[in-house]
Amino acid sequence: MEIPHETYDGNGNCIARGAVAISADRAIIMIKAEAQRRILARYPQWKQINLTRTPQAVEMWAWIDAVRAKSNEMEQTQPSDYADDRHWPK
């Protein structure tokens, strides 16, 4: 997988754009991290614990399962734009 890369000078000006190749193992780690970031942004651990005892738990776990399933799918396909919202459940 290749990911976009930009190089900046000391003043913060972009001086080069391109792509950097990363290993399949590294891509999987990055995709899993993105899934975790999305899950915790919507349902922090404290909320996951508190909602477990409420009717909203079914909705929460369905969404978390959908994110995990999408992560598993992208680990196989490894799109370079894996962090784009279009790849993830709403």
Side-chain angles (χ1 to χ4, degrees):
M1 177 168 85
E2 290 188 346
I3 58 172
H5 177 73
E6 295 179 343
T7 303
Y8 294 86
D9 66 14
N11 296 319
N13 300 310
C14 181
I15 57 174
R17 286 188 173 87
V20 176
I22 60 171
S23 71
D25 290 342
R26 180 69 181 145
I28 289 170
I29 290 168
M30 293 170 68
I31 292 166
K32 286 181 182 288
E34 179 64 16
Q36 179 182 30
R37 182 193 71 75
R38 288 172 180 272
I39 290 169
L40 293 177
R42 186 161 178 175
Y43 295 108
Q45 287 182 340
W46 65 266
K47 189 177 262 187
Q48 292 179 39
I49 292 167
N50 289 340
L51 285 179
T52 299
R53 299 173 187 245
T54 68
Q56 293 89 356
V58 173
E59 178 185 330
M60 175 186 72
W61 290 115
W63 185 83
I64 289 173
D65 288 344
V67 171
R68 288 178 175 160
K70 196 60 175 171
S71 175
N72 291 340
E73 177 186 315
M74 284 194 287
E75 288 169 27
Q76 301 303 311
T77 60
Q78 298 187 355
S80 60
D81 62 344
Y82 67 91
D84 191 307
D85 288 341
R86 70 185 173 89
H87 291 295
W88 299 93
K90 301 288 182 232

